[in-house]
Amino acid sequence: MSLVFYSLHSMSPAMELLSHLSLLSFFLVSLLLMTPSYAGDEEHRRSYIIHMNKSAIPDPFAAHHSWYEWILSSLPESDGESPTHLYTYNHVMNGFSAVLSSSQLAQLERMPGHIATYPETYGQLHTTRTPHFLGLNRHVGLWPTAHFGDDMIIGIVDTGIWPESESFSDDGMPPVPARWKGACETGTEFNSSNCNRKLIGARSFSKGLKESGLNISTTGDYDSPRDFFGHGTHTSSTAAGSPARNADYFGYAPGTAIGIAPMARVAMYKVLFATDSLVSASTDVLAGMDQAIADGVDLMSLSLGFPEDHFYANPIALGAFAALEKGIFVSCSAGNSGPHAYTIHNGAPWITTVGAGTIDRDYAASVTLGNGSIAPFQGRSIFPESLYTSGSPLYYGHGNTSKETCDSYALDPKDVAGKFVFCSFGDVNSQMDEVSRSGAVGGIFATDSAQFLNPSDFYMPFVAVSLQDGEKVKEYIVTSSPASPATVDITFQLTVLGSKPAPQVADFSSRGPYQISPWILKPDILAPGVNILAAWAPNRGWQPIGNDYLVTDFALVSGTSMSSPHLVGIAALVRAVHPDWSPAAIRSALMTTAYLIDNTHGPILDMITGTSATPLDFGGGHVNPTKAMDPGLVYDIGVQDYLDFLCGLNYTSDQMMVITRKSNYTCTNPSLDLNYPSFMVILNNTNSTTTRFTRVLTNVEEGPAVYRAVVYAPTGMSVVVKPETLKFEGENSRQGFEMRVEIDMAKTDMVRIESDYIGNYGYLSWHEVGGKHVVRSPIVSAYGP
Ligand SMILES: *[C@@H]1O[C@H](CO)[C@@H](O)[C@H](O)[C@H]1NC(C)=O
Ligand SMILES: *[C@@H]1O[C@H](CO)[C@@H](O)[C@H](O)[C@H]1NC(C)=O
Ligand SMILES: *[C@@H]1O[C@H](CO)[C@@H](O)[C@H](O)[C@H]1NC(C)=O
Ligand SMILES: *[C@@H]1O[C@H](CO)[C@@H](O)[C@H](O)[C@H]1NC(C)=O
Ligand SMILES: *[C@@H]1O[C@H](CO)[C@@H](O)[C@H](O)[C@H]1NC(C)=O
Ligand SMILES: *[C@@H]1O[C@H](CO)[C@@H](O)[C@H](O)[C@H]1NC(C)=O
Ligand SMILES: *[C@@H]1O[C@H](CO)[C@@H](O)[C@H](O)[C@H]1NC(C)=O
Ligand SMILES: *[C@@H]1O[C@H](CO)[C@@H](O)[C@H](O)[C@H]1NC(C)=O
Ligand SMILES: *[C@@H]1O[C@H](CO)[C@@H](O)[C@H](O)[C@H]1NC(C)=O
């Protein structure tokens, strides 16, 4: 079981403390904090999700809600307490949630129509330049063609929203679409006047969390859609924020912050609250998704995850399946549990699972040594103040060999007072602590891991320089003399655009395959998720500086939490151009047109190894919005195909009923071979295997077209495609093909994900004959979980 913050570094000071605990102990801590202490009490009351067979509703009841109420009222009190009803679900499942004692539950489970019970589980959260980086242009391409996402409604299931942010201004927005059924709920510091033509709905779901014994108001969070933490404000403004002029993060990344689909509408469903930690209850998440479906969102994004379990026991997978049946596109964060294999979250095949990549923007300080005889160079810094220091004395504790230069208690406050300390190679974070403790002015750190430092690490005038530049600094200091002591000039707050190589796969981004259904390649795609600038809740200090915290309207945040809203914004644009496309067709267009090459014209790299990333890191590749509008062909998937996939998993009829909410579902062709735009071969402890795939392509261009198969396969993988040429008559015409993939691992170099040797990969591309379209899919083999 693993539990993850889906946004890194986006933690309050208290949360930062928790994040340093191991994931396991954090999980235990959370459970201890969340479980009311009825130790030893047989009648322990807990929250449960109860799935019912709606077809078994007894005659007298007109509506299922009154049936459920009757069931609850018919249960006896236990220890003087009656069951407490939490929610009745109308879309995501048939049933309700309630707080019950174990004897009440046992009785309920014997009643006719009961299908399954799942105890409450708790989920965790897993952030301008990105429109430009993604190639979105005001005048040509996807933005103007999609009218900037006009009329699309994006539901964000998250920590709430800060409605006063400039990113949610409705200047120039047309009236709210008449089909919208949502509402703006009143609660703590929030009422209907906080919504407008941009933020068209805002609701809050906390019953389940409160029942677990958490008191929302003790941490200052709002029992309303208002965002206390900042995360939901960030994800919403990333997906669909209005242009916010003069946005910056303490001088870094200045410019106009703008969402990916700036004319789309936002509806917030708050399900995550800052209590002792930042958690959500499964009953609340189901209620939020249920309401989003009822309100009529077109797309949904979730940047949170629950412990991974089978689809029938995972609230996000359940909610997303119901959404899919209504044609709603659902995108989710892949998780921040990378870089090891099999760390994917939210990998249900009807969800678009999004990994995180870097962008081509970096933050820097410029360093000039002494009298300038050495050319000035740049180091990484995100110190949040416009600071220029000139002629500052430089200190390097190289005289004392008993301690490394900046180890704990190696620096003597008397020696470093008024100086910048130079620290040679070591653990940067602990060196920063030591420089801070010593009372020095600031620090220069020689490191090869500057790219992994977060904004919050720069709470003092710190600069991280490369090892080569570190050697220059060291050389300069040791050759200086008392007569001409070492000094440095530093200019902070520089923003570097076009930094290379970009994108790279972020170190934290979760990697495939997906434990629960390894037969479908996950993640699906990569989108920006490192140091993303977007709106934040200015309600409290955020960026540490010295012993204090600075308040900000815009924050730089990293995580797959940030990549999902980018992807959903792009999906909204594609959907605005192609309103008749299914969620699977939109995903196929995004995946088959994604790119694999970075801005140095080399393969996209894995940030942590510095070597080529693989489809197990990025799925189809890095999202390419403008091409996604015009994919040529798509691999479409309908509801029945997903049912056949579930049938192929050999789920029992009760488990099928939980997901499909019907007893009359049919298995027309049980199969794990979905019509997916990627191919996955699971080796399962053998070195060789042959797998056959069947696929159908749909032409989404006007007019006839001919495509030819082009295979790239490494040694040890042989691929045969039949037929090799597909002729399409016109728009919506479909053609099938079969592909046989033979793997012999003994003959091949295996893909390495961190230290996990896992399989190999190639590509199948359909090239349009005499045309420009290329429809590319990865073919991946991997050992079973
Ligand atoms: C649901 O109830 C209907 C009607 O009573 C019954 O025919 C069906 O078998 C039930 N389904 C399941 C999965 O229990
Ligand atoms: C909402 O709250 C604001 C500020 O408290 C208040 O001025 C306004 O009248 C309220 N609006 C409604 C519809 O209650
Ligand atoms: C929650 O905390 C607030 C502030 O500490 C307190 O006033 C309130 O009574 C608490 N509520 C519950 C239900 O414990
Ligand atoms: C600059 O300083 C270095 C050593 O600190 C010295 O060797 C050099 O002569 C100086 N150059 C000038 C132009 O003062
Ligand atoms: C070197 O560091 C050690 C440990 O901090 C200290 O005890 C010792 O006095 C230092 N020696 C010199 C020469 O500064
Ligand atoms: C489902 O059952 C069939 C028949 O017993 C078996 O061949 C197949 O491997 C099973 N599938 C899974 C995913 O367990
Ligand atoms: C299942 O039953 C519902 C009504 O109970 C009906 O609307 C639906 O068409 C049926 N589906 C199938 C696949 O038979
Ligand atoms: C791998 O094989 C084992 C037994 O050989 C089986 O239990 C397991 O379900 C298989 N896993 C997959 C992913 O096919
Ligand atoms: C699979 O291939 C690897 C690498 O060539 C080899 O070490 C291993 O023994 C092989 N395993 C089997 C079951 O053949």
PDB file of all heavy atoms in Angstrom, residues 593 626-627 629-632 701 705-707 766-775:
ATOM      1  N   THR A 593      -0.238  11.626 -31.232  1.00  0.00           N
ATOM      2  CA  THR A 593       0.451  12.787 -31.809  1.00  0.00           C
ATOM      3  C   THR A 593       1.487  13.370 -30.840  1.00  0.00           C
ATOM      4  O   THR A 593       2.105  14.393 -31.128  1.00  0.00           O
ATOM      5  CB  THR A 593      -0.551  13.915 -32.138  1.00  0.00           C
ATOM      6  OG1 THR A 593      -1.228  14.284 -30.930  1.00  0.00           O
ATOM      7  CG2 THR A 593      -1.578  13.463 -33.169  1.00  0.00           C
ATOM      8  N   THR A 626      -1.325  21.195 -30.576  1.00  0.00           N
ATOM      9  CA  THR A 626      -1.717  21.587 -31.921  1.00  0.00           C
ATOM     10  C   THR A 626      -1.881  20.360 -32.823  1.00  0.00           C
ATOM     11  O   THR A 626      -2.834  20.267 -33.601  1.00  0.00           O
ATOM     12  CB  THR A 626      -0.712  22.608 -32.481  1.00  0.00           C
ATOM     13  OG1 THR A 626      -0.784  23.753 -31.641  1.00  0.00           O
ATOM     14  CG2 THR A 626      -1.019  22.982 -33.898  1.00  0.00           C
ATOM     15  N   LYS A 627      -0.994  19.385 -32.673  1.00  0.00           N
ATOM     16  CA  LYS A 627      -1.138  18.171 -33.492  1.00  0.00           C
ATOM     17  C   LYS A 627      -2.332  17.328 -33.064  1.00  0.00           C
ATOM     18  O   LYS A 627      -2.954  16.653 -33.879  1.00  0.00           O
ATOM     19  CB  LYS A 627       0.142  17.336 -33.400  1.00  0.00           C
ATOM     20  CG  LYS A 627       1.206  17.785 -34.362  1.00  0.00           C
ATOM     21  CD  LYS A 627       2.216  16.662 -34.530  1.00  0.00           C
ATOM     22  CE  LYS A 627       2.907  16.747 -35.871  1.00  0.00           C
ATOM     23  NZ  LYS A 627       3.919  15.685 -35.995  1.00  0.00           N
ATOM     24  N   MET A 629      -5.185  18.146 -32.373  1.00  0.00           N
ATOM     25  CA  MET A 629      -6.403  18.607 -33.019  1.00  0.00           C
ATOM     26  C   MET A 629      -6.641  17.837 -34.316  1.00  0.00           C
ATOM     27  O   MET A 629      -7.751  17.720 -34.786  1.00  0.00           O
ATOM     28  CB  MET A 629      -6.193  20.094 -33.300  1.00  0.00           C
ATOM     29  CG  MET A 629      -7.348  20.817 -33.867  1.00  0.00           C
ATOM     30  SD  MET A 629      -6.987  22.593 -33.850  1.00  0.00           S
ATOM     31  CE  MET A 629      -5.546  22.752 -34.896  1.00  0.00           C
ATOM     32  N   ASP A 630      -5.567  17.312 -34.911  1.00  0.00           N
ATOM     33  CA  ASP A 630      -5.633  16.757 -36.258  1.00  0.00           C
ATOM     34  C   ASP A 630      -4.845  15.446 -36.340  1.00  0.00           C
ATOM     35  O   ASP A 630      -3.795  15.381 -36.958  1.00  0.00           O
ATOM     36  CB  ASP A 630      -5.040  17.821 -37.207  1.00  0.00           C
ATOM     37  CG  ASP A 630      -5.084  17.381 -38.652  1.00  0.00           C
ATOM     38  OD1 ASP A 630      -5.911  16.513 -38.993  1.00  0.00           O
ATOM     39  OD2 ASP A 630      -4.271  17.914 -39.433  1.00  0.00           O
ATOM     40  N   PRO A 631      -5.363  14.366 -35.687  1.00  0.00           N
ATOM     41  CA  PRO A 631      -4.580  13.124 -35.588  1.00  0.00           C
ATOM     42  C   PRO A 631      -4.684  12.225 -36.808  1.00  0.00           C
ATOM     43  O   PRO A 631      -3.944  11.263 -36.915  1.00  0.00           O
ATOM     44  CB  PRO A 631      -5.206  12.416 -34.384  1.00  0.00           C
ATOM     45  CG  PRO A 631      -6.636  12.847 -34.428  1.00  0.00           C
ATOM     46  CD  PRO A 631      -6.632  14.266 -34.944  1.00  0.00           C
ATOM     47  N   GLY A 632      -5.636  12.461 -37.709  1.00  0.00           N
ATOM     48  CA  GLY A 632      -5.809  11.581 -38.863  1.00  0.00           C
ATOM     49  C   GLY A 632      -6.715  10.406 -38.535  1.00  0.00           C
ATOM     50  O   GLY A 632      -7.845  10.315 -39.001  1.00  0.00           O
ATOM     51  N   GLU A 701     -10.685  12.274 -40.582  1.00  0.00           N
ATOM     52  CA  GLU A 701     -10.544  13.330 -41.589  1.00  0.00           C
ATOM     53  C   GLU A 701     -11.699  13.207 -42.583  1.00  0.00           C
ATOM     54  O   GLU A 701     -12.248  12.128 -42.777  1.00  0.00           O
ATOM     55  CB  GLU A 701      -9.237  13.132 -42.378  1.00  0.00           C
ATOM     56  CG  GLU A 701      -8.006  13.245 -41.559  1.00  0.00           C
ATOM     57  CD  GLU A 701      -7.880  14.591 -40.884  1.00  0.00           C
ATOM     58  OE1 GLU A 701      -7.920  15.612 -41.597  1.00  0.00           O
ATOM     59  OE2 GLU A 701      -7.773  14.616 -39.649  1.00  0.00           O
ATOM     60  N   ALA A 705      -8.524   8.015 -47.322  1.00  0.00           N
ATOM     61  CA  ALA A 705      -7.104   8.092 -46.998  1.00  0.00           C
ATOM     62  C   ALA A 705      -6.541   6.680 -46.964  1.00  0.00           C
ATOM     63  O   ALA A 705      -7.258   5.719 -46.676  1.00  0.00           O
ATOM     64  CB  ALA A 705      -6.895   8.766 -45.648  1.00  0.00           C
ATOM     65  N   VAL A 706      -5.259   6.551 -47.251  1.00  0.00           N
ATOM     66  CA  VAL A 706      -4.569   5.263 -47.197  1.00  0.00           C
ATOM     67  C   VAL A 706      -3.405   5.394 -46.222  1.00  0.00           C
ATOM     68  O   VAL A 706      -2.685   6.395 -46.248  1.00  0.00           O
ATOM     69  CB  VAL A 706      -4.051   4.856 -48.598  1.00  0.00           C
ATOM     70  CG1 VAL A 706      -3.288   3.534 -48.528  1.00  0.00           C
ATOM     71  CG2 VAL A 706      -5.210   4.759 -49.578  1.00  0.00           C
ATOM     72  N   TYR A 707      -3.272   4.386 -45.366  1.00  0.00           N
ATOM     73  CA  TYR A 707      -2.180   4.409 -44.384  1.00  0.00           C
ATOM     74  C   TYR A 707      -1.366   3.132 -44.500  1.00  0.00           C
ATOM     75  O   TYR A 707      -1.908   2.049 -44.775  1.00  0.00           O
ATOM     76  CB  TYR A 707      -2.734   4.509 -42.967  1.00  0.00           C
ATOM     77  CG  TYR A 707      -3.210   5.889 -42.588  1.00  0.00           C
ATOM     78  CD1 TYR A 707      -4.465   6.351 -42.991  1.00  0.00           C
ATOM     79  CD2 TYR A 707      -2.414   6.728 -41.808  1.00  0.00           C
ATOM     80  CE1 TYR A 707      -4.914   7.617 -42.627  1.00  0.00           C
ATOM     81  CE2 TYR A 707      -2.858   7.993 -41.436  1.00  0.00           C
ATOM     82  CZ  TYR A 707      -4.105   8.434 -41.846  1.00  0.00           C
ATOM     83  OH  TYR A 707      -4.547   9.679 -41.475  1.00  0.00           O
ATOM     84  N   TRP A 766       1.288   4.340 -38.150  1.00  0.00           N
ATOM     85  CA  TRP A 766       0.554   4.323 -39.413  1.00  0.00           C
ATOM     86  C   TRP A 766       0.838   5.637 -40.118  1.00  0.00           C
ATOM     87  O   TRP A 766       0.518   6.706 -39.594  1.00  0.00           O
ATOM     88  CB  TRP A 766      -0.944   4.139 -39.160  1.00  0.00           C
ATOM     89  CG  TRP A 766      -1.271   2.756 -38.683  1.00  0.00           C
ATOM     90  CD1 TRP A 766      -1.440   2.354 -37.398  1.00  0.00           C
ATOM     91  CD2 TRP A 766      -1.415   1.591 -39.493  1.00  0.00           C
ATOM     92  NE1 TRP A 766      -1.680   1.007 -37.344  1.00  0.00           N
ATOM     93  CE2 TRP A 766      -1.682   0.504 -38.628  1.00  0.00           C
ATOM     94  CE3 TRP A 766      -1.353   1.343 -40.871  1.00  0.00           C
ATOM     95  CZ2 TRP A 766      -1.876  -0.794 -39.081  1.00  0.00           C
ATOM     96  CZ3 TRP A 766      -1.554   0.051 -41.326  1.00  0.00           C
ATOM     97  CH2 TRP A 766      -1.814  -1.011 -40.441  1.00  0.00           C
ATOM     98  N   HIS A 767       1.493   5.533 -41.299  1.00  0.00           N
ATOM     99  CA  HIS A 767       1.854   6.733 -42.054  1.00  0.00           C
ATOM    100  C   HIS A 767       0.845   6.930 -43.181  1.00  0.00           C
ATOM    101  O   HIS A 767       0.586   6.002 -43.948  1.00  0.00           O
ATOM    102  CB  HIS A 767       3.247   6.571 -42.673  1.00  0.00           C
ATOM    103  CG  HIS A 767       4.352   6.665 -41.675  1.00  0.00           C
ATOM    104  ND1 HIS A 767       5.325   7.637 -41.712  1.00  0.00           N
ATOM    105  CD2 HIS A 767       4.621   5.909 -40.579  1.00  0.00           C
ATOM    106  CE1 HIS A 767       6.160   7.468 -40.688  1.00  0.00           C
ATOM    107  NE2 HIS A 767       5.760   6.425 -39.992  1.00  0.00           N
ATOM    108  N   GLU A 768       0.307   8.107 -43.285  1.00  0.00           N
ATOM    109  CA  GLU A 768      -0.628   8.398 -44.365  1.00  0.00           C
ATOM    110  C   GLU A 768       0.135   8.456 -45.684  1.00  0.00           C
ATOM    111  O   GLU A 768       1.148   9.154 -45.794  1.00  0.00           O
ATOM    112  CB  GLU A 768      -1.329   9.731 -44.104  1.00  0.00           C
ATOM    113  CG  GLU A 768      -2.430  10.019 -45.095  1.00  0.00           C
ATOM    114  CD  GLU A 768      -3.144  11.339 -44.812  1.00  0.00           C
ATOM    115  OE1 GLU A 768      -2.667  12.105 -43.932  1.00  0.00           O
ATOM    116  OE2 GLU A 768      -4.160  11.594 -45.459  1.00  0.00           O
ATOM    117  N   VAL A 769      -0.360   7.705 -46.639  1.00  0.00           N
ATOM    118  CA  VAL A 769       0.309   7.689 -47.943  1.00  0.00           C
ATOM    119  C   VAL A 769      -0.077   8.970 -48.678  1.00  0.00           C
ATOM    120  O   VAL A 769      -1.255   9.265 -48.853  1.00  0.00           O
ATOM    121  CB  VAL A 769      -0.115   6.434 -48.759  1.00  0.00           C
ATOM    122  CG1 VAL A 769       0.516   6.464 -50.149  1.00  0.00           C
ATOM    123  CG2 VAL A 769       0.262   5.170 -48.010  1.00  0.00           C
ATOM    124  N   GLY A 770       0.917   9.751 -49.024  1.00  0.00           N
ATOM    125  CA  GLY A 770       0.659  11.003 -49.714  1.00  0.00           C
ATOM    126  C   GLY A 770       0.051  12.063 -48.808  1.00  0.00           C
ATOM    127  O   GLY A 770      -0.552  13.023 -49.283  1.00  0.00           O
ATOM    128  N   GLY A 771       0.161  11.856 -47.489  1.00  0.00           N
ATOM    129  CA  GLY A 771      -0.400  12.844 -46.557  1.00  0.00           C
ATOM    130  C   GLY A 771       0.543  13.063 -45.392  1.00  0.00           C
ATOM    131  O   GLY A 771       1.618  12.473 -45.332  1.00  0.00           O
ATOM    132  N   LYS A 772       0.137  13.889 -44.458  1.00  0.00           N
ATOM    133  CA  LYS A 772       1.058  14.286 -43.389  1.00  0.00           C
ATOM    134  C   LYS A 772       0.836  13.533 -42.081  1.00  0.00           C
ATOM    135  O   LYS A 772       1.626  13.634 -41.166  1.00  0.00           O
ATOM    136  CB  LYS A 772       0.902  15.783 -43.138  1.00  0.00           C
ATOM    137  CG  LYS A 772      -0.499  16.134 -42.666  1.00  0.00           C
ATOM    138  CD  LYS A 772      -0.695  17.628 -42.446  1.00  0.00           C
ATOM    139  CE  LYS A 772      -2.148  17.945 -42.395  1.00  0.00           C
ATOM    140  NZ  LYS A 772      -2.891  18.188 -41.308  1.00  0.00           N
ATOM    141  N   HIS A 773      -0.270  12.778 -41.973  1.00  0.00           N
ATOM    142  CA  HIS A 773      -0.580  12.209 -40.667  1.00  0.00           C
ATOM    143  C   HIS A 773       0.280  10.993 -40.331  1.00  0.00           C
ATOM    144  O   HIS A 773       0.495  10.134 -41.185  1.00  0.00           O
ATOM    145  CB  HIS A 773      -2.056  11.803 -40.601  1.00  0.00           C
ATOM    146  CG  HIS A 773      -2.964  12.972 -40.702  1.00  0.00           C
ATOM    147  ND1 HIS A 773      -3.737  13.224 -41.817  1.00  0.00           N
ATOM    148  CD2 HIS A 773      -3.209  13.970 -39.833  1.00  0.00           C
ATOM    149  CE1 HIS A 773      -4.434  14.336 -41.619  1.00  0.00           C
ATOM    150  NE2 HIS A 773      -4.128  14.807 -40.419  1.00  0.00           N
ATOM    151  N   VAL A 774       0.747  10.932 -39.086  1.00  0.00           N
ATOM    152  CA  VAL A 774       1.443   9.765 -38.556  1.00  0.00           C
ATOM    153  C   VAL A 774       0.765   9.411 -37.238  1.00  0.00           C
ATOM    154  O   VAL A 774       0.608  10.276 -36.368  1.00  0.00           O
ATOM    155  CB  VAL A 774       2.940  10.051 -38.317  1.00  0.00           C
ATOM    156  CG1 VAL A 774       3.621   8.839 -37.672  1.00  0.00           C
ATOM    157  CG2 VAL A 774       3.637  10.423 -39.623  1.00  0.00           C
ATOM    158  N   VAL A 775       0.306   8.171 -37.118  1.00  0.00           N
ATOM    159  CA  VAL A 775      -0.446   7.748 -35.937  1.00  0.00           C
ATOM    160  C   VAL A 775       0.420   6.735 -35.198  1.00  0.00           C
ATOM    161  O   VAL A 775       0.480   5.577 -35.559  1.00  0.00           O
ATOM    162  CB  VAL A 775      -1.787   7.116 -36.371  1.00  0.00           C
ATOM    163  CG1 VAL A 775      -2.646   6.780 -35.155  1.00  0.00           C
ATOM    164  CG2 VAL A 775      -2.526   8.049 -37.322  1.00  0.00           C
TER     165      VAL A 775
END
